[in-house]
Amino acid sequence: MATYSATALLNTGAKIPLVGLGTWQSKPNEVYEAVLTAIKAGYRHIDTAWIYGNEKEVGQAIKDSGVDRQSLFVTTKLWNNAHNPEDVEKALEVSLKNLQMEYLDLWLMHWPVAFKSGDKPVPKNADGKVELAPVDYVDTYAAMEKVVGDRVRAIGVSNFTVGKLQRLLKSASVVPAANQVELHPYLPQNELIDFCKQNKIHVTAYSPLGSTSGPVQKEPIIVDLAKKYNVEPAQVLISWAYKRGTSVLPKSVTPSRIVNNFKEVPLTAEDVANIDAIGLNKPPQRVVDPSESWGSDIYDSGAKL
Ligand SMILES: NC(=O)c1ccc[n+]([C@@H]2O[C@H](COP(=O)([O-])OP(=O)(O)OC[C@H]3O[C@@H](n4cnc5c(N)ncnc54)[C@H](OP(=O)(O)O)[C@@H]3O)[C@@H](O)[C@H]2O)c1
């Protein structure tokens, strides 16, 4: 079975490998081995974030992998407590130091939500409510634009809806290279993908396996296709995302899964259409939605998903 090799072209002219290793909830002691296993299996794209608390181990594994930095595509993300424009460059320096890297291939604004600045990743008031800051993501993005160059090859966003992208594009001088969002057959986000295509914003699929709860892996069509090709349901989901031209970030710390997840399933056009149909027959379902706990209307409730 062939492994994934295709890339997509970003609006910067750089290439992003379509299948990358996700590392959210990969504990520091597990992630080092996971990244090494992935690179050995052929992955050339690794996704991390400051808030995952594992940038150091991810960077160390990349360094120890023996594969040169130019051949790899590394993404990390600016956390919500560093949205104040004055904090942005400092946050970049911390991530670069953690990763032991001279540059990032892609730096994303993790969420369109600003927390109070400071050392606490999730600052809370006496009532236990998350403390937000009156910083507009448009201003945070403008500060990110200023660091594009030798240390940051491309900037982008994550968890942005069509409405928020439209608002951002009105003032942005650098079109985001990517928007990283939750995508799987229960949340296909066709409208968002179309909008991004029209605006030359690459889309990356996160939680492609439905994250840790993984209900989509048990969907009958996915299970049947896995049987048909003698593969794991997760592999079918990854190949579907790949066929759509999005990049996709399956997370695993299990060596056999890391290896299998990088093997392409030769889905036919009919298979892809059958998987597409899952989303047409069900209301969209998100697995990652901190809107309520953060007290922020992240997904523009009332607007279409
Ligand atoms: N930008 C954002 O806000 C955001 C949000 C969420 C995620 N992400 C990114 O996207 C990545 C992926 O999303 P995710 O971590 O939420 O979830 P995911 O990749 O959809 O699913 C991960 C879960 O699936 C399991 N798994 C992996 N391969 C499998 C296989 N072949 N068969 C069965 N189970 C399998 C993993 O278990 P084991 O690890 O135990 O093998 C883990 O429990 C993240 O790691 C992160 O890099 C970004």
Side-chain angles (χ1 to χ4, degrees), residues 60-138:
Q60 191 61 47
I62 288 173
K63 204 169 174 193
D64 295 346
S65 71
V67 171
D68 63 274
R69 176 70 187 86
Q70 320 287 15
S71 312
L72 294 163
F73 190 100
V74 181
T75 302
T76 193
K77 311 180 193 96
L78 174 76
W79 185 237
N80 308 353
N81 66 348
H83 270 224
N84 189 324
E86 285 168 19
D87 296 338
V88 166
E89 188 169 3
K90 225 172 7 186
L92 167 67
E93 283 162 4
V94 170
S95 284
L96 284 172
K97 190 166 174 228
N98 283 343
L99 286 159
Q100 301 181 60
M101 279 174 195
E102 285 176 7
Y103 71 91
L104 303 173
D105 293 279
L106 181 60
W107 197 35
L108 303 177
M109 188 190 312
H110 206 148
W111 293 91
V113 180
F115 291 173
K116 190 178 145 193
S117 301
D119 294 337
K120 289 192 183 141
V122 186
K124 291 189 178 164
N125 65 18
D127 303 335
K129 284 207 174 119
V130 173
E131 290 186 285
L132 301 178
V135 180
D136 192 328
Y137 55 80
V138 163

Side-chain angles (χ1 to χ4, degrees), residues 24 47 158-159 207 209 211 232 249 251-254 257:
W24 179 37
D47 181 80
S158 176
N159 297 298
S207 302
L209 314 178
S211 206
E232 297 177 46
L249 303 170
K251 173 265 176 184
S252 180
V253 291
T254 312
R257 288 176 173 174

Side-chain angles (χ1 to χ4, degrees), residues 3-299:
T3 54
Y4 294 108
S5 56
T7 56
L9 205 58
L10 298 179
N11 61 21
T12 57
K15 290 177 179 164
I16 181 168
L18 286 186
V19 180
L21 181 75
T23 64
W24 179 37
Q25 304 183 96
S26 301
K27 298 186 187 80
N29 63 329
E30 304 168 326
V31 81
Y32 177 82
E33 288 302 327
V35 171
L36 277 183
T37 304
I39 293 176
K40 202 167 159 208
Y43 292 65
R44 290 295 177 266
H45 173 178
I46 311 289
D47 181 80
T48 182
W50 178 84
I51 193 64
Y52 300 168
N54 60 20
E55 283 179 323
K56 282 188 184 157
E57 292 74 12
V58 167
Q60 191 61 47
I62 288 173
K63 204 169 174 193
D64 295 346
S65 71
V67 171
D68 63 274
R69 176 70 187 86
Q70 320 287 15
S71 312
L72 294 163
F73 190 100
V74 181
T75 302
T76 193
K77 311 180 193 96
L78 174 76
W79 185 237
N80 308 353
N81 66 348
H83 270 224
N84 189 324
E86 285 168 19
D87 296 338
V88 166
E89 188 169 3
K90 225 172 7 186
L92 167 67
E93 283 162 4
V94 170
S95 284
L96 284 172
K97 190 166 174 228
N98 283 343
L99 286 159
Q100 301 181 60
M101 279 174 195
E102 285 176 7
Y103 71 91
L104 303 173
D105 293 279
L106 181 60
W107 197 35
L108 303 177
M109 188 190 312
H110 206 148
W111 293 91
V113 180
F115 291 173
K116 190 178 145 193
S117 301
D119 294 337
K120 289 192 183 141
V122 186
K124 291 189 178 164
N125 65 18
D127 303 335
K129 284 207 174 119
V130 173
E131 290 186 285
L132 301 178
V135 180
D136 192 328
Y137 55 80
V138 163
D139 296 329
T140 306
Y141 189 79
M144 292 176 75
E145 287 178 337
K146 292 197 183 126
V147 298
V148 174
D150 289 348
R151 293 178 300 171
V152 179
R153 303 273 159 99
I155 54 169
V157 294
S158 176
N159 297 298
F160 269 55
T161 56
V162 169
K164 289 194 169 70
L165 285 172
Q166 279 170 327
R167 185 168 172 268
L168 182 68
L169 288 173
K170 279 191 194 143
S171 61
S173 48
V174 176
V175 174
N179 184 20
Q180 187 183 119
V181 294
E182 180 177 340
L183 277 185
H184 44 70
Y186 287 172
L187 189 70
Q189 307 232 50
N190 296 326
E191 197 183 313
L192 179 68
I193 290 180
D194 286 348
F195 177 85
C196 287
K197 233 179 235 163
Q198 283 159 21
N199 288 281
K200 298 195 168 37
I201 301 170
H202 174 75
V203 176
T204 300
Y206 81 60
S207 302
L209 314 178
S211 206
T212 37
S213 52
V216 71
Q217 292 189 45
K218 300 198 179 84
E219 172 69 28
I221 292 168
I222 303 298
V223 172
D224 287 351
L225 286 169
K227 279 191 195 133
K228 172 177 161 187
Y229 291 106
N230 196 23
V231 296
E232 297 177 46
Q235 289 177 254
V236 173
L237 292 165
I238 297 161
S239 285
W240 172 76
Y242 178 80
K243 290 263 184 215
R244 296 175 101 200
T246 63
S247 48
V248 51
L249 303 170
K251 173 265 176 184
S252 180
V253 291
T254 312
S256 59
R257 288 176 173 174
I258 295 171
V259 170
N260 285 340
N261 289 350
F262 204 62
K263 292 180 184 158
E264 185 180 355
V265 183
L267 297 177
T268 63
E270 193 189 348
D271 297 333
V272 172
N274 286 335
I275 301 174
D276 289 342
I278 297 172
L280 302 176
N281 299 325
K282 281 185 192 296
Q285 289 175 41
R286 275 186 199 284
V287 289
V288 181
D289 190 356
S291 303
E292 216 179 295
S293 61
W294 294 354
S296 178
D297 188 12
I298 299 168
Y299 298 119

